[in-house]
Amino acid sequence: MNKQYVSHRFRLKPTKEQISVLESWCHTNRFIWNYFLAANKTKYESDKKFIFYHEMATSIPSLKKEYIFLKEPPAQSLQGICQRLESSIKRVWQTKSGFPYFKSKKNGDMPSIHIPQSRKTIQWNKKNINLPKIGWIKWAKHCPLKGKLISTTTKYEGGHWWTIVLVETNKQKQSIGDNVVGIDLGLKDWVVTSDGEIFDIHPNLKEKEERVIKEQKILSKKTKGSKNRTKQKIILQKAHYKVRCARTDNAHKVSAAIAKQYSCVAMEDLNIKGMMKNHHLARKIQQVSWGQLKTYLTYKTNVKLVDRWYPSSQLCSSCENKQKMPLNIRTYECNSCGVS
């Protein structure tokens, strides 16, 4: 059996006192991020070197003597911030992404609380979960948790508190039999299977995206630094969150429907990052979230990637005759055998 890592997302229902504690932990995590980011910038300006995880983590105990509030959150949460900062710095050269930036309280930056623990420390039942240093918190446990606990990540998003529980399972995928399907990913029709079944994007996604545009326009007219602008930011964040939920919900439902019907799925190995450089199609490609669907299918069933240069759309399914297919032609009519 192959080991798999599966994350489950549950909504927390903390009390006012627990919310106050969680918020203070997030603020402390933001302080650690900004402190070591500033230290890294100073180190690079003087020595052209960076401070990495081991040096950051070993300096936390001495920092706790200077800043007493650092003793409040779990120590592993602060170490997790150091790991993330190290990864962000290394990613600058690996993927040529931008350098990490300072997190701001005004912008609503709330770093998550990551706690890698064993099952003995973190416990749960149907109604509550027990987190270190805070105790039992009510949650909406909508599915069973099976496997070895790896970590929990608590975060604030969309006006609610959430916890993501990562578990390691030995779930074995079903064997590849004759029940194989090919799927084509597109913009007009989101997913089209080789059996002729068509799946579209979330029906309310366009409406939710228009709401984001509307709230963004309202935000642009607010005075910078005002309380009304801060309130509008929260409204905009919730609108963005609903868009993400719609995409995720639809991707889960479609991937589950395909995985239940077929033991193996063949799909094109698309260069999504390269396609996003087309400014005329970038927004539409982001809307359909092909990468998210591919990720969900990968752990729900067997996925075989087809070479992106394989001319599948130009080949006849009956006689394998090859002919050109411009984008304006939507129906394949074979010049050799007449199959349509």
Side-chain angles (χ1 to χ4, degrees):
M1 292 186 180
N2 297 325
K3 291 183 179 180
Q4 288 185 333
Y5 294 96
V6 181
S7 62
H8 301 275
R9 181 186 175 101
F10 302 101
R11 180 177 166 184
L12 295 176
K13 300 177 181 179
T15 62
K16 290 183 179 180
E17 292 77 10
Q18 290 172 338
I19 289 174
S20 178
V21 173
L22 291 172
E23 286 179 346
S24 68
W25 289 3
C26 290
H27 297 327
T28 304
N29 285 350
R30 183 173 58 246
F31 172 84
I32 288 292
W33 174 280
N34 291 340
Y35 181 89
F36 285 115
L37 180 57
N40 268 288
K41 288 189 173 184
T42 304
K43 182 78 172 178
Y44 186 78
E45 289 174 359
S46 59
D47 304 335
K48 299 299 178 183
K49 292 182 180 180
F50 287 107
I51 304 172
F52 291 111
Y53 169 71
H54 183 265
E55 189 175 348
M56 288 188 283
T58 52
S59 63
I60 289 178
S62 59
L63 276 178
K64 287 182 177 180
K65 296 178 182 179
E66 184 178 356
Y67 304 99
I68 301 176
F69 61 88
L70 294 179
K71 297 181 180 180
E72 296 177 3
Q76 289 139 322
S77 174
L78 304 181
Q79 294 167 5
I81 294 295
C82 298
Q83 287 178 331
R84 273 181 269 176
L85 180 56
E86 180 190 61
S87 300
S88 299
I89 293 174
K90 290 181 177 179
R91 201 179 299 124
V92 175
W93 287 270
Q94 292 171 352
T95 63
K96 295 182 180 180
S97 57
F99 196 79
Y101 60 90
F102 290 102
K103 296 187 181 296
S104 170
K105 184 178 180 180
K106 290 183 179 180
N107 293 335
D109 293 328
M110 298 273 282
S112 58
I113 305 162
H114 180 74
I115 307 175
Q117 286 283 359
S118 65
R119 191 167 186 142
K120 295 179 182 179
T121 306
I122 299 177
Q123 299 176 343
W124 62 78
N125 54 42
K126 188 175 181 180
K127 294 184 179 180
N128 304 280
I129 182 171
N130 187 14
L131 297 178
K133 287 196 170 185
I134 195 170
W136 292 94
I137 304 178
K138 288 185 178 181
W139 67 345
K141 186 171 176 289
H142 54 78
C143 66
L145 284 172
K146 297 180 180 179
K148 179 183 177 183
L149 176 68
I150 302 299
S151 67
T152 61
T153 303
T154 306
K155 61 189 297 186
Y156 181 80
E157 186 180 21
H160 302 289
W161 285 94
W162 307 85
T163 185
I164 296 94
V165 181
L166 181 67
V167 294
E168 179 186 310
T169 63
N170 293 323
K171 185 178 180 181
Q172 188 175 11
K173 292 182 180 179
Q174 55 182 328
S175 58
I176 302 176
D178 298 329
N179 197 16
V180 181
V181 68
I183 64 173
D184 179 64
L185 304 177
L187 296 177
K188 185 177 180 181
D189 296 318
W190 186 36
V191 178
V192 181
T193 68
S194 56
D195 293 339
E197 193 173 2
I198 299 176
F199 297 95
D200 291 323
I201 60 175
H202 195 282
N204 297 329
L205 182 58
K206 186 177 180 181
E207 178 185 341
K208 295 178 185 298
E209 288 183 333
E210 288 176 350
R211 179 64 183 271
V212 169
I213 296 172
K214 179 182 176 181
E215 299 299 342
Q216 183 65 57
K217 288 180 179 178
I218 296 175
L219 178 65
S220 65
K221 297 177 182 179
K222 301 293 182 182
T223 305
K224 289 186 178 181
S226 65
K227 291 184 177 180
N228 285 334
R229 185 178 176 84
T230 304
K231 292 178 183 178
Q232 185 60 31
K233 277 184 180 180
I234 297 173
I235 295 174
L236 179 61
Q237 289 172 358
K238 290 181 179 180
H240 277 294
Y241 173 72
K242 289 182 179 180
V243 171
R244 290 197 299 272
C245 285
R247 290 175 180 165
T248 303
D249 176 68
N250 200 48
H252 268 303
K253 288 179 178 177
V254 172
S255 58
I258 295 174
K260 287 178 182 178
Q261 295 182 56
Y262 305 101
S263 59
C264 182
V265 176
M267 62 187 300
E268 185 180 354
D269 184 20
L270 294 172
N271 180 17
I272 300 176
K273 287 186 178 179
M275 298 172 71
M276 287 288 288
K277 293 179 181 179
N278 185 338
H279 301 296
H280 298 287
L281 298 176
R283 184 179 175 186
K284 190 69 177 179
I285 293 171
Q286 185 183 27
Q287 183 186 58
V288 295
S289 57
W290 292 326
Q292 192 175 36
L293 178 67
K294 175 185 171 183
T295 302
Y296 294 164
L297 282 172
T298 301
Y299 74 82
K300 291 180 182 180
T301 186
N302 298 289
V303 174
K304 298 296 181 183
L305 298 178
V306 181
D307 182 17
R308 67 188 61 157
W309 304 114
Y310 181 73
S312 57
S313 300
Q314 301 177 17
L315 296 177
C316 177
S317 59
S318 178
C319 66
E320 295 190 355
N321 172 55
K322 183 180 178 180
Q323 64 187 44
K324 291 184 178 181
M325 283 291 294
L327 289 175
N328 60 336
I329 300 177
R330 308 301 298 175
T331 304
Y332 187 97
E333 296 180 357
C334 183
N335 297 331
S336 179
C337 64
V339 170
S340 177

